[in-house]
Amino acid sequence: MSDISYRLYYWPSIPGRGELVRLTLAEAGVDWIDVARLPKEQGGGSGAIVERMKRDDAGVVPPFAPPFVALVEDGVEQLLVAQTAVVLDLIARRHGLVPSDEATRASALQLQLTVADLIDEAHDSHHPIASGLYYEDQQSEAARRAADFVGTRLPKFLGYFERAIRARGGPFLLGAERCYADLSLFQVLGGLQYAYPRTMTRLLPTVPHLAALPARVAALPRIASYLASDRHVAFNQHGIFRHYPELDT
Amino acid sequence: MSDISYRLYYWPSIPGRGELVRLTLAEAGVDWIDVARLPKEQGGGSGAIVERMKRDDAGVVPPFAPPFVALVEDGVEQLLVAQTAVVLDLIARRHGLVPSDEATRASALQLQLTVADLIDEAHDSHHPIASGLYYEDQQSEAARRAADFVGTRLPKFLGYFERAIRARGGPFLLGAERCYADLSLFQVLGGLQYAYPRTMTRLLPTVPHLAALPARVAALPRIASYLASDRHVAFNQHGIFRHYPELDT
């Protein structure tokens, strides 16, 4: 049997989209190296991400942004893949985190991309003008966008995922068994709780199946063990999910 | 051999993300019904989309938003899939619009999701606060966001796709043969030309491989025939790509 491991490239100090990959790697039970969290003298640090992104390897489609992942088989890099959903689909397929029939695999990816849309909108609720500017430089615009997010978009997304869980009988998105999209949804619900605690306290009782999901995911043995480890990166004020009380209305 | 056709659900009067699906269906050479563009008495109109989206079919993951597609085999609906990239990957795999090996398929999906990110940002350049509000109600915010889009984000995306084409030798994204992501990139470049003609005239000479792509895609016989047909929906001021001269700085 071949020896498979992964090299994850993601910013070392924020959970961001990298945490979606970490959760999936943990549940897959595989080995991985979190490249940028290695010491610099071992080839780590943010510089390692930038360097790898700029490297032109003939035949390899370059990543546009982190996270991206290299698949290493028997010590040889076989594959470089970017875009979170593609990375997750690839790992999931190889390690039993999604059923192998094409229809269910498509459904999982559809759900994952809807989670990704919610992530994008959660981010833009505090950065509606430019990622490259500080929050303080777009605070009035953020107030307007967050009001729409909290009042319209977030309830729509939460209601959708409630309905999706019910469609296949629950308790997970695809039914009785967890898939990688459940892990991402778990992370997003945690992020929303961190960023918008008042709003979530108000909305969660309206989506009981969805509200029950995080405890189930956190109780998966490999996830529980991962969350208790120092590989896990906690939410903070530099990531996608940030707590600005003035936006949580 | 089974008889396969598709039912596309997308808003009837804008190109939007639906046009990405139409281009792929056209290049696949398959039959499809554009449900919402049928007359109401034949089950068409926007109402047909909303009705189908709200329908709860046991076991079927519901769509969050159009476009979504039903696959019909020998007259029986086999599959309902949403999220543009998943729809395209599914059609492409069945009809030879992407190589079948997993690594290349992942690269195509990665490229498609990067095209999708550019589409999202192009849309938000004129609607940075809320999709549900008029442009006129977010015009000052749009001016700020569009400045960042035109000055920073768009050049970064165009430079990326130029590099991606070169990585595998061109002239298409994966090399000698076109894949579904080329069709989407063609549509996006057309949309950007429509929305930001001054900016594109300035930027395109810096990305010669990318600038050569649209003519190659438009010359594919099935695409040429599709574009000349009345199935094709042209750009207009209600879609993702809108021409507001004040944003094209």
Side-chain angles (χ1 to χ4, degrees):
Chain A
M1 234 190 96
S2 64
D3 175 42
I4 288 182
S5 69
Y6 294 87
R7 292 173 65 83
L8 166 64
Y9 293 81
Y10 196 70
W11 310 121
S13 56
I14 56 171
R17 291 176 182 84
E19 195 65 11
L20 308 183
V21 182
R22 290 189 197 99
L23 284 165
T24 297
L25 289 165
E27 182 64 6
V30 296
D31 285 332
W32 82 89
I33 292 169
D34 210 327
V35 176
R37 296 178 76 196
L38 290 174
K40 262 193 183 169
E41 45 298 2
Q42 290 174 38
S46 294
I49 302 174
V50 178
E51 199 178 290
R52 183 63 208 255
M53 237 182 341
K54 287 191 173 165
R55 199 167 106 190
D56 281 311
D57 296 325
V60 176
V61 175
F64 180 75
F68 53 94
V69 157
L71 165 66
V72 181
E73 207 166 342
D74 296 325
V76 181
E77 190 177 305
Q78 298 292 350
L79 213 58
L80 189 76
V81 188
Q83 283 286 354
T84 312
V86 186
V87 171
L88 301 191
D89 172 63
L90 190 94
I91 299 168
R93 207 177 37 76
R94 287 178 179 250
H95 304 286
L97 290 176
V98 70
S100 61
D101 71 285
E102 279 297 328
T104 314
R105 186 181 170 189
S107 291
L109 193 56
Q110 172 187 326
L111 288 160
Q112 181 64 39
L113 289 177
T114 309
V115 172
D117 286 344
L118 172 53
I119 291 177
D120 288 350
E121 296 196 24
H123 171 272
D124 285 6
S125 71
H126 56 76
H127 271 68
I129 299 302
S131 290
L133 292 177
Y134 290 111
Y135 167 65
E136 289 69 22
D137 294 329
Q138 50 196 308
Q139 203 167 346
S140 64
E141 293 92 340
R144 283 193 77 192
R145 175 127 186 181
D148 183 69
F149 179 68
V150 159
T152 302
R153 299 298 291 171
L154 183 54
K156 186 176 172 177
F157 274 105
L158 298 182
Y160 169 78
F161 287 114
E162 173 74 7
R163 201 179 144 216
I165 292 175
R166 282 192 284 110
R168 291 174 66 100
F172 295 111
L173 284 164
L174 292 181
E177 217 179 333
R178 57 85 184 96
C179 74
Y180 65 94
D182 292 297
L183 310 181
S184 292
L185 189 51
F186 160 79
Q187 177 69 8
V188 169
L189 289 171
L192 291 166
Q193 194 72 56
Y194 173 85
Y196 290 101
R198 289 179 58 199
T199 301
M200 289 301 277
T201 299
R202 178 166 54 79
L203 292 176
L204 277 182
T206 67
V207 288
H209 293 79
L210 181 61
L213 185 84
R216 283 186 189 269
V217 171
L220 295 167
R222 284 170 168 170
I223 295 296
S225 144
Y226 166 73
L227 293 174
S229 78
D230 61 5
R231 308 205 77 174
H232 166 59
V233 180
F235 294 112
N236 61 46
Q237 287 296 87
H238 305 286
I240 291 166
F241 298 103
R242 306 189 193 180
H243 180 50
Y244 297 117
E246 64 275 21
L247 301 183
D248 184 22
T249 50
Chain B
M1 233 189 95
S2 64
D3 176 42
I4 288 181
S5 70
Y6 295 87
R7 292 172 65 83
L8 166 65
Y9 293 81
Y10 195 71
W11 310 121
S13 56
I14 56 171
R17 293 176 180 84
E19 195 65 12
L20 307 183
V21 182
R22 290 190 198 98
L23 285 164
T24 297
L25 289 165
E27 182 64 5
V30 296
D31 285 332
W32 82 89
I33 293 170
D34 210 325
V35 176
R37 296 178 76 197
L38 291 174
K40 262 194 185 169
E41 32 320 342
Q42 289 174 40
S46 294
I49 302 174
V50 178
E51 199 177 292
R52 182 63 208 253
M53 237 184 340
K54 288 190 173 164
R55 199 168 105 190
D56 282 311
D57 296 325
V60 177
V61 176
F64 180 75
F68 53 96
V69 158
L71 164 66
V72 181
E73 208 166 342
D74 296 325
V76 180
E77 190 178 304
Q78 299 292 351
L79 214 57
L80 189 76
V81 187
Q83 283 287 354
T84 312
V86 185
V87 171
L88 301 190
D89 172 63
L90 190 94
I91 299 167
R93 207 177 36 78
R94 286 179 179 249
H95 305 285
L97 291 176
V98 70
S100 61
D101 72 285
E102 281 296 328
T104 315
R105 186 181 170 189
S107 290
L109 194 56
Q110 171 187 330
L111 287 160
Q112 181 64 38
L113 289 178
T114 309
V115 172
D117 286 344
L118 172 52
I119 291 178
D120 288 350
E121 296 195 24
H123 171 272
D124 284 6
S125 72
H126 56 75
H127 270 69
I129 300 301
S131 290
L133 292 177
Y134 290 111
Y135 167 65
E136 288 70 22
D137 294 327
Q138 50 196 307
Q139 203 166 348
S140 65
E141 293 93 340
R144 285 193 76 193
R145 174 126 188 182
D148 183 69
F149 180 68
V150 159
T152 304
R153 299 297 294 172
L154 183 54
K156 184 174 173 179
F157 274 105
L158 297 181
Y160 170 78
F161 287 114
E162 173 74 7
R163 200 178 145 218
I165 292 174
R166 282 192 284 109
R168 292 175 64 100
F172 294 111
L173 284 164
L174 294 180
E177 216 180 329
R178 57 85 185 97
C179 73
Y180 65 94
D182 292 299
L183 310 180
S184 291
L185 189 52
F186 161 79
Q187 177 68 8
V188 168
L189 290 170
L192 291 166
Q193 194 72 55
Y194 174 85
Y196 290 101
R198 291 179 58 200
T199 302
M200 289 300 278
T201 299
R202 178 165 55 79
L203 293 176
L204 277 181
T206 66
V207 287
H209 293 79
L210 180 62
L213 184 83
R216 284 186 187 267
V217 171
L220 296 168
R222 285 171 168 170
I223 295 295
S225 147
Y226 166 74
L227 293 174
S229 78
D230 60 6
R231 309 206 76 174
H232 167 58
V233 180
F235 294 112
N236 61 47
Q237 288 296 86
H238 305 284
I240 292 165
F241 299 102
R242 306 188 192 181
H243 180 50
Y244 296 117
E246 64 274 20
L247 300 183
D248 184 21
T249 51

